[in-house]
Amino acid sequence: MNLMELNVQCFRAINDLGKQYPELNPAFYAIAEYTVYALALCALLYWFTRDSQNRMMVICATATFVMAEVLGKLAGTLHSNNQPFAELANVNQLVQKAVDNSFPSDHTILFFSFCVSFWLFQRKAGILWMLLAVCVGLSRIWVGVHYPADVLVGALISIGSALTVFLLLPRFTFVHSLLSFYEKMESAILPVKPRSKGL
């Protein structure tokens, strides 16, 4: 059995679950399509806590995503495959999508970039973020738009990028200088109200 046959077999094992348990399809559709909005909202909430550690975390996550996307596009030039629904028969397709190169999965890259970065900064809460990233990756297979290899490679690229950024970016003085400058400008426009003392 070659790798592509194994890839297809793993895809069938996961995607066919949607036929066996159709009551779960709406949940996996929602995870595959709408959790990206929750991720964006959470990143904004972390940013506007005005906590420097949280802001460095969001900066690292964003830089990780940019780095992983670039590496993902490079990987896509070395190997390409269309979405499973475009190549295979009888796919449980829940998401309508234009046919293009689905290798690696952009959704997986996005979620693993942010969720691994959040986990590196916040180990306890980060476990939940990692579970979310895994669920999103599985959901993209469940709804028929990615092969397991698309998801696995996207996750590996993001994990490597997150570790690299986490180890290097916070050490750069100019990053802290830019963040400090931004926070001064922010405080001038939106000053933090002092807490009132109890009587």
Side-chain angles (χ1 to χ4, degrees), residues 3-152:
L3 290 177
M4 190 57 196
E5 289 174 342
L6 179 61
N7 196 25
V8 172
Q9 280 199 4
C10 290
F11 169 79
R12 290 293 193 191
I14 297 170
N15 184 254
D16 285 351
L17 292 173
K19 302 172 189 175
Q20 298 173 36
Y21 307 100
E23 64 276 9
L24 296 178
N25 284 339
F28 277 95
Y29 174 83
I31 293 170
E33 289 291 281
Y34 298 122
T35 47
V36 64
Y37 301 109
L39 179 66
L41 178 60
C42 288
L44 284 173
L45 290 175
Y46 274 131
W47 185 264
F48 286 109
T49 58
R50 292 192 168 189
D51 178 85
S52 294
Q53 183 78 349
N54 283 346
R55 285 183 165 174
M56 182 58 68
M57 178 178 72
V58 174
I59 290 171
C60 284
T62 304
T64 294
F65 174 58
V66 172
M67 179 179 177
E69 266 292 288
V70 171
L71 293 175
K73 296 304 180 189
L74 290 174
T77 64
L78 300 175
H79 171 80
S80 67
N81 54 254
N82 293 329
Q83 287 81 4
F85 66 78
E87 296 185 340
L88 305 176
N90 200 25
V91 168
N92 179 45
Q93 182 188 356
L94 304 180
V95 172
Q96 297 301 316
K97 196 176 187 302
V99 177
D100 57 13
N101 182 16
S102 69
F103 180 88
S105 165
D106 288 329
H107 261 75
T108 303
I109 286 175
L110 172 65
F111 273 86
F112 271 86
S113 292
F114 275 81
C115 294
V116 173
S117 296
F118 291 170
W119 174 73
L120 289 170
F121 278 85
Q122 301 179 349
R123 293 301 170 91
K124 290 184 179 180
I127 294 173
L128 297 177
W129 285 112
M130 291 301 297
L131 287 174
L132 175 63
V134 171
C135 285
V136 169
L138 287 174
S139 75
R140 301 300 287 178
I141 304 169
W142 187 291
V143 301
V145 295
H146 282 292
Y147 288 103
D150 300 341
V151 171
L152 178 61

